[in-house]
Amino acid sequence: MSSPSHSHSSHGHGEQPLVGHLVPMSTLIGTGLGLILLTVVTVAVVEVDLGELNIVIALAIAAFKATLVCLYFMHLRWDKPFNQLMFFGSILFVLLLMLFCLMDVGQLRKTIRGGNPTGVQAVLDAEAPTAPIAKNKPQ
Amino acid sequence: MTTLDASRPTHLNIEASSDNYLTHTRGLLSWAFTLDHKRIGVMYMFAILGSFFVGGVFALLVRTKLLFPDAVNWMTAEQYNQAFTLHGAVMVFLVIVPSIPAALGNFILPIMLGAKDVAFPRLNLASFWLWIFGAIFVVISLLAGSFDTGWTFYTPYSTRTTLGGVVWVITGVFILGFSSIFTGMNFIVTIHKLRPPGMTWFRMPLFLWALYSTALIQVLATPVLAITLALVAIERVFHIGVFDPAMGGDPVLFQHFFWFYSHPAVYIMILPGMGIISEIIAVHSHRHIFGYRFIAFSSIAIAFFSFLVWGHHMFVSGQSGLMGAVFSLITFSVAIPSAIKVFNWLATLYKGSISLNTPMLYGLAFLFLFTIGGLTGLHLGTLNTDIHLHDTYFVVAHFHYVMMGSALIAMVGGLHHWWPKMFGRMYSEALGKLGCVLVFVGFNVTFFTQFMLGSHGMPRRYYLYQPEFQIYHVISTCGSYIMALGFIITGICLLKSLFSGKPAPANPWGGRSLEWQCPSPPPHDNFPTTPRVGDCYDFSIVRWDDSAGGYVVDRSLDPELNPNAPKRAGAHH
Amino acid sequence: MTAIDSHAHSHGDADHGHHAHSEYPFLAHHFESPAQQFDSGKLGMWVFLATEILFFGALFALYAIMRAESPEVFKYASHYLDTTMGGINTCVLILSSMTMAMAVHFAQRSKQGPLVFCLFLTFLGACGFLVIKYFEYTHKIHANLVWGPGFYKPVEHGDGHAGGHAAADAHAATATPSSPNAVMTEHPVLGTNPGLASNSPPLFKLPPVESSTIKPLPAGTPGVSLVGEGDETQHQAEVAEAAHEEKVHLTDPEMPLNTHRFFGIYFAMTGLHGIHVIIGMFLIGWLMYGAAKGRFNSNYYTPVDLGGLYWHIVDLIWIFLFPLFYLIH
Ligand SMILES: [Cu+2]
């Protein structure tokens, strides 16, 4: 059964909530500023060409920002373990879908066709027969 | 049997007064806006049974056409395509997916927990109305030109077909998906937060374990279906190029996304059925369920594995060889927890004192049909045999054995099991048994033939076929008529009981869990205060009581509920 | 109830329940304590957020697959998106997320005034996000940087001068405002946009187009003349180069196949996210109304908390959308 996260001692309209966790204002502002800073960093980093590493860094920063939002804005750090499991578990299921599909697509990469798909070619023939892209006829 | 002072009440002695959930308030609006989980469950039940009738009519139309190998003048090939599509879509999305959780689960789950309601009664009502809106959209799609994509909406056909109902039905299924999600959310939270004192996780009735695993799948898989179908609709209208190869999209990707939901969805259908069977078999054998923890864990295991095997639907649809092998391999792992359940049910029956009531007949039918359905699934999960059997009647037979022979039979069995509780009336056992036998026989005649048909090479969904297959089709269609007769008799049996059935006792079968300890039909609030529970499969404290006309759970004999209880052999756990 | 149940074995919760219901008017009849109700609400919300994650997750998976299939499309097309606007929007959403977290904080401390104020700021943030998104969308739509077949259609003009080739756009951009071609000048690709700047609210001053990643076409860029005169081939090559430099996609020979798919998934994902922002605005508006009525205090603030969780997940999804679409090197 559930148990209150805080004692019942603070009835009425006190400084402590009856249930749940109070995150101090300084933490919230600090987190917000940190997130803005990280946004600036991620925009700046993209100007540097690091090849494949660019996307890795961008995603790593995004994941770090998301973690900050979760832990502090969403109080997940102080929440029930099952709520934490629910959240991170759902991400695992997304990764599962992504991974298996990527494995399949990766296997079939070679067979993907060249040339414009028929629908695109139809539009180009009708609307923009001279556009350079129109030269990519289906093979 | 009992040595206690006779003046001391020994069971939950809630007065069976005239006030119950059916009579608590009156008027149509008191039902339409009710927050009572029991009423919502009952409304769900009648809505689902109505859809079941509609889906059944489509099935009979299809089967009747297939009596003849050639074209018939009363049904064109296009109409035939629409008929089997509608049969599939109605039966899957409107009937089987919501049937057990939303109808029976809604009614029984909070009572089993001794709770007054589910955690979010308003969300529960919203779920029901979303179901209604979803059904309305399906009807609109019929008026807007119908659809013939098959219930799977495979691209590129679904993005290209000229019939006008596709976007409407997709909207309907999208809405139905959220109805299902809301039910799942409610059940997860209710089971986590509203369990009564004494009911640890491993004291829960197995039906609750089944509903819990189901709810996890509903919550984790259904959103993917929703977004996938939304993308099909968007692709159809805006041609964004995700699934339609004419716009550079990948139609196989649709199948990945679709089956990411729809394979787990077959466990949304079957897991609650398995939960019902666990209840029925234990109660009607009057014997402690065998291997409780194995059955409970296997439900969770099935829920988890169900997410890892979706590619076995795509062995021949352009999936890469590597993924085919991986998915085939993992598919076998799902067979293990399913087999664990079957063996435990059989072990429960062994040396039990079996009462062959109607629900028990359905339970036994389930064991038979599920075993066939499950084992033929292995033929299809095996990469090389599936090449031959894919998209033949073998597949049709297999999933009907599982989805209808198992999930729906369990639903009907559960309906008979809890019908006296829901409406306070006993039905005619003779009629009930007759219906069950006819359905069982009709079902096997219909679908066992289709295994042969399929292994001989008859493809599914075909309007015309070689005359050599006709004999099988004729037998199969005759079986479907027998089955229809069985369902009609069952319907008459249940409806008749509402008007002329004799009043049901609180506990007609000898159940032990909490729903059998509150009156039939239950009062508005179920229990005045949450009762404490012991081992819900310990039937040694259940005894027949002539004055009650049914069984009584003698709580004074349970040492967990009464410290002064006499010591008994075999009552520990 | 029998002696056995409610007395001999009475569980503390049962008695506590009746006591709790009179003490806490907000406690629903089927819960026994505020903690049980609060925990149930939280768990329910987290389960719902899990469905949201899978809902968007399928789209992220789709994105990953499409990008793995054709990385060149994403690399190429990403440059049509305005990083400045996207970056500002990210900050707006982060700040609104912060004010939402503050709102929860004030609700927990029964500070009604600051609660309403923080909710209002959050609401403003949502509005700001949508306004900026609106301008981004209209830019894309006017430049035919859209999903599906529309991507391949030459840009139409208000005066009915629909060019058979994209070159007409170049004339439009270089024309004076009095020219008939300049009736609709919101062409983001091709130049400054006086109409847009004057219409935008001062609160959300848009950056001048020059400072963004999109640069105007230099005046005097020759159009693609298909009725060839002079050295046609060389002429066209020049135009094509200029087009590539200046992102006129239809005349760009270096545009990869199926570039429209990038915009398909871009509009699908940001559109779905936008719908969530709109739902969030209704939610925050409703919370503001409740807060102004004084419904929330340190004993009962569950709706603010749950609304906050929803708003944070909207923020969280955007945190991923931003680098995935705008920041591709
Ligand atoms: Cu499957």
Side-chain angles (χ1 to χ4, degrees):
Chain A
M1 294 293 292
S2 50
S3 60
S5 314
H6 282 269
S7 74
H8 275 219
S9 57
S10 57
H11 281 188
H13 299 190
E15 283 290 292
Q16 275 294 325
L18 179 62
V19 287
H21 183 271
L22 183 73
V23 182
M25 202 47 125
S26 52
T27 312
L28 296 180
I29 294 174
T31 308
L33 292 181
L35 288 169
I36 301 277
L37 187 73
L38 284 168
T39 308
V40 175
V41 169
T42 191
V43 171
V45 152
V46 86
E47 299 301 325
V48 190
D49 187 0
L50 300 166
E52 288 294 300
L53 218 56
N54 272 112
I55 172 127
V56 177
I57 291 174
L59 282 180
I61 293 178
F64 185 60
K65 282 163 74 181
T67 313
L68 284 183
V69 171
C70 272
L71 292 184
Y72 296 101
F73 284 174
M74 300 173 94
H75 299 199
L76 201 58
R77 193 176 156 184
W78 302 276
D79 216 327
K80 297 246 182 299
F82 188 79
N83 294 357
Q84 299 169 344
L85 178 74
M86 204 68 216
F87 181 72
F88 292 109
S90 65
I91 295 172
L92 280 186
F93 278 92
V94 173
L95 292 179
L96 179 80
L97 173 68
M98 208 182 277
L99 191 81
F100 275 16
C101 291
L102 277 175
M103 278 166 74
D104 191 29
V105 171
Q107 287 285 306
L108 295 174
R109 185 83 197 282
K110 307 166 216 62
T111 65
I112 289 177
R113 72 274 119 179
N116 286 319
T118 52
V120 174
Q121 194 60 50
V123 178
L124 288 172
D125 289 344
E127 307 260 0
T130 55
I133 185 97
K135 294 193 184 96
N136 296 308
K137 296 277 185 198
Q139 289 149 12
Chain B
M1 185 169 172
T2 170
T3 54
L4 286 173
D5 179 4
S7 65
R8 192 175 173 190
T10 56
H11 52 275
L12 280 183
N13 200 4
I14 305 162
E15 282 306 311
S17 67
S18 58
D19 180 48
N20 60 51
Y21 81 97
L22 292 166
T23 57
H24 186 66
T25 47
R26 291 189 181 278
L28 203 61
L29 287 182
S30 79
W31 280 82
F33 295 108
T34 183
L35 297 180
D36 184 349
H37 67 97
K38 299 182 284 298
R39 286 189 167 195
I40 294 172
V42 168
M43 289 195 293
Y44 248 127
M45 196 188 74
F46 282 109
I48 285 166
L49 291 178
S51 309
F52 179 59
F53 178 78
V54 175
V57 169
F58 285 120
L60 289 176
L61 284 175
V62 168
R63 281 298 348 146
T64 306
K65 152 68 196 76
L66 290 171
L67 281 172
F68 315 102
D70 308 313
V72 290
N73 56 16
W74 55 272
M75 188 189 249
T76 65
E78 288 72 27
Q79 289 166 336
Y80 171 82
N81 287 349
Q82 293 170 21
F84 76 67
T85 298
L86 278 161
H87 165 68
V90 168
M91 285 300 199
V92 170
F93 296 116
L94 285 171
V95 180
I96 309 181
V97 167
S99 63
I100 298 175
L104 294 174
N106 243 328
F107 194 98
I108 297 300
L109 177 137
I111 308 182
M112 271 186 166
L113 292 173
K116 290 187 170 30
D117 212 319
V118 290
F120 310 118
R122 279 188 185 80
L123 196 66
N124 203 17
L125 182 66
S127 161
F128 173 71
W129 281 107
L130 282 179
W131 187 95
I132 294 284
F133 281 120
I136 289 174
F137 270 93
V138 175
V139 173
I140 292 177
S141 85
L142 291 182
L143 304 177
S146 190
F147 56 106
D148 60 351
T149 56
W151 75 275
T152 50
F153 305 110
Y154 266 19
T155 52
Y157 190 64
S158 57
T159 51
R160 292 271 141 176
T161 174
T162 50
L163 292 189
V166 178
V167 171
W168 291 103
V169 74
I170 282 176
T171 314
V173 174
F174 186 91
I175 296 172
L176 289 170
F178 276 90
S179 157
S180 177
I181 287 174
F182 287 168
T183 303
M185 279 169 61
N186 234 329
F187 286 4
I188 290 178
V189 177
T190 309
I191 288 174
H192 266 270
K193 299 296 178 192
L194 294 179
R195 272 175 291 128
M199 190 185 282
T200 56
W201 279 95
F202 289 103
R203 279 293 177 76
M204 287 199 314
L206 287 164
F207 184 47
L208 297 188
W209 268 108
L211 286 177
Y212 183 73
S213 328
T214 308
L216 283 177
I217 306 179
Q218 284 178 304
V219 160
L220 291 173
T222 318
V224 176
L225 175 79
I227 195 68
T228 306
L229 291 183
L231 282 171
V232 171
I234 292 170
E235 181 78 294
R236 208 179 144 76
V237 178
F238 298 111
H239 309 287
I240 58 170
V242 288
F243 296 141
D244 186 356
M247 291 306 295
D250 181 356
V252 178
L253 203 56
F254 169 83
Q255 295 184 25
H256 274 300
F257 279 41
F258 179 80
W259 290 111
F260 182 85
Y261 165 79
S262 290
H263 183 79
V266 307
Y267 294 100
I268 294 179
M269 303 177 203
I270 192 69
L271 269 174
M274 290 167 158
I276 289 181
I277 297 305
S278 301
E279 297 299 320
I280 288 182
I281 295 223
V283 169
H284 295 267
S285 309
H286 307 281
R287 184 156 183 269
H288 196 289
I289 190 90
F290 189 88
Y292 173 93
R293 273 180 190 246
F294 280 97
I295 299 182
F297 274 126
S298 65
S299 292
I300 296 292
I302 288 177
F304 178 72
F305 282 125
S306 72
F307 281 93
L308 303 174
V309 300
W310 77 80
H312 61 215
H313 297 267
M314 300 166 58
F315 289 154
V316 299
S317 41
Q319 182 179 238
S320 62
L322 172 75
M323 290 318 290
V326 169
F327 278 125
S328 179
L329 203 66
I330 310 177
T331 297
F332 290 108
S333 64
V334 185
I336 298 168
S338 309
I340 285 175
K341 282 179 188 285
V342 173
F343 289 130
N344 280 306
W345 292 323
L346 291 178
T348 308
L349 288 171
Y350 180 65
K351 286 193 174 169
S353 46
I354 297 172
S355 313
L356 274 183
N357 303 314
T358 313
M360 189 56 166
L361 281 191
Y362 279 104
L364 297 176
F366 175 97
L367 287 184
F368 186 82
L369 300 175
F370 178 69
T371 305
I372 294 180
L375 290 177
T376 50
L378 292 177
H379 299 74
L380 297 168
T382 311
L383 201 46
N384 45 1
T385 46
D386 182 69
I387 306 292
H388 173 62
L389 296 173
H390 191 92
D391 265 353
T392 67
Y393 268 80
F394 193 93
V395 180
V396 178
H398 157 69
F399 71 68
H400 277 90
Y401 264 84
V402 181
M403 285 158 70
M404 182 177 187
S406 309
L408 253 169
I409 289 288
M411 149 85 179
V412 179
L415 200 57
H416 283 85
H417 187 60
W418 284 302
W419 186 269
K421 180 56 62 189
M422 295 170 93
F423 299 104
R425 300 284 182 167
M426 298 303 288
Y427 47 83
S428 153
E429 276 289 327
L431 268 185
K433 284 176 184 163
L434 178 66
C436 178
V437 168
L438 283 177
V439 168
F440 180 74
V441 171
F443 180 87
N444 283 297
V445 172
T446 309
F447 291 109
F448 202 85
T449 347
Q450 296 187 5
F451 280 125
M452 300 184 245
L453 206 49
S455 56
H456 291 184
M458 166 87 205
R460 65 191 284 201
R461 291 179 170 172
Y462 274 32
Y463 177 69
L464 306 174
Y465 57 85
Q466 298 293 314
E468 63 184 277
F469 293 126
Q470 189 175 16
I471 179 66
Y472 295 110
H473 276 298
V474 171
I475 297 173
S476 182
T477 304
C478 290
S480 70
Y481 294 155
I482 300 175
M483 210 177 355
L485 182 66
F487 278 120
I488 290 171
I489 290 176
T490 304
I492 291 173
C493 162
L494 292 178
L495 286 179
K496 196 167 136 269
S497 76
L498 291 181
F499 303 103
S500 59
K502 66 178 196 321
N507 189 353
W509 315 120
R512 160 72 210 260
S513 41
L514 277 180
E515 84 269 29
W516 303 114
Q517 300 177 44
C518 82
S520 308
H524 176 65
D525 267 351
N526 302 341
F527 297 95
T529 50
T530 312
R532 197 176 177 78
V533 295
D535 178 357
C536 62
Y537 291 107
D538 175 13
F539 295 103
S540 63
I541 65 165
V542 181
R543 59 178 167 79
W544 179 264
D545 182 352
D546 263 335
S547 64
Y551 290 86
V552 166
V553 179
D554 192 341
R555 297 169 68 92
S556 66
L557 291 177
D558 189 335
E560 283 183 56
L561 304 175
N562 176 13
N564 307 320
K567 292 271 180 294
R568 292 162 303 139
H572 44 252
H573 323 287
Chain C
M1 288 296 291
T2 67
I4 291 164
D5 286 288
S6 56
H7 303 298
H9 265 258
S10 132
H11 191 265
D13 280 3
D15 290 329
H16 176 71
H18 290 292
H19 171 64
H21 279 277
S22 50
E23 187 177 349
Y24 303 114
F26 56 83
L27 190 59
H29 80 293
H30 57 291
F31 289 117
E32 286 176 350
S33 67
Q36 191 189 28
Q37 178 167 326
F38 176 77
D39 288 344
S40 299
K42 279 277 243 209
L43 175 59
M45 194 64 199
W46 278 104
V47 172
F48 178 71
L49 295 188
T51 72
E52 284 284 357
I53 287 168
L54 274 139
F55 197 65
F56 274 98
L59 283 175
F60 279 108
L62 186 66
Y63 171 94
I65 295 154
M66 285 167 74
R67 186 158 171 184
E69 264 177 5
S70 41
E72 71 285 353
V73 165
F74 284 75
K75 216 173 160 135
Y76 172 85
S78 168
H79 290 268
Y80 286 101
L81 299 186
D82 189 328
T83 312
T84 316
M85 281 199 178
I88 291 174
N89 248 352
T90 310
C91 293
V92 167
L93 218 47
I94 284 172
L95 288 177
S96 81
S97 211
M98 187 179 81
T99 53
M100 190 73 220
M102 289 174 170
V104 175
H105 175 99
F106 288 123
Q108 286 175 321
R109 289 173 53 200
S110 301
K111 305 267 189 210
Q112 205 191 325
L115 166 64
V116 176
F117 183 65
C118 282
L119 286 174
F120 178 69
L121 286 182
T122 312
F123 189 82
L124 270 192
C127 294
F129 180 87
L130 283 182
V131 168
I132 296 176
K133 203 79 218 153
Y134 168 79
F135 285 124
E136 276 193 83
Y137 274 5
T138 42
H139 278 189
K140 297 284 165 302
I141 288 166
H142 284 304
N144 276 358
L145 291 166
V146 291
W147 57 87
F151 183 79
Y152 299 101
K153 287 185 178 150
V155 179
E156 303 261 342
H157 287 271
D159 59 352
H161 184 84
H165 40 84
D169 296 350
H171 294 306
T174 50
T176 59
S178 60
S179 141
N181 274 342
V183 175
M184 288 181 73
T185 53
E186 296 94 313
H187 204 298
V189 173
L190 293 168
T192 51
N193 196 331
L196 183 64
S198 60
N199 286 340
S200 56
L203 194 58
F204 301 101
K205 195 157 178 295
L206 290 171
V209 181
E210 280 81 5
S211 73
S212 72
T213 52
I214 295 166
K215 303 222 165 36
L217 209 62
T221 302
V224 182
S225 169
L226 294 158
V227 213
E229 46 183 80
D231 188 353
E232 194 184 308
T233 330
Q234 195 207 329
H235 185 62
Q236 280 198 3
E238 273 172 21
V239 173
E241 178 149 341
H244 181 56
E245 285 280 297
E246 306 306 336
K247 317 294 184 208
V248 183
H249 65 274
L250 205 57
T251 54
D252 186 353
E254 286 179 33
M255 181 170 76
L257 281 173
N258 291 332
T259 302
H260 68 278
R261 292 181 82 204
F262 174 88
F263 291 95
I265 187 88
Y266 166 79
F267 276 101
M269 291 184 84
T270 54
L272 186 68
H273 179 264
I275 291 173
H276 278 76
V277 172
I278 293 171
I279 296 172
M281 283 172 66
F282 281 106
L283 216 63
I284 296 163
W286 174 71
L287 288 176
M288 240 167 10
Y289 175 77
K293 289 238 159 187
R295 279 189 200 144
F296 310 123
N297 54 55
S298 64
N299 277 351
Y300 178 67
Y301 61 91
T302 313
V304 186
D305 203 21
L306 302 191
L309 287 179
Y310 174 86
W311 190 245
H312 297 313
I313 204 90
V314 172
D315 178 33
L316 207 138
I317 287 160
W318 182 260
I319 284 178
F320 281 97
L321 287 180
F322 174 57
L324 287 180
F325 281 110
Y326 293 80
L327 300 181
I328 304 175
H329 188 86

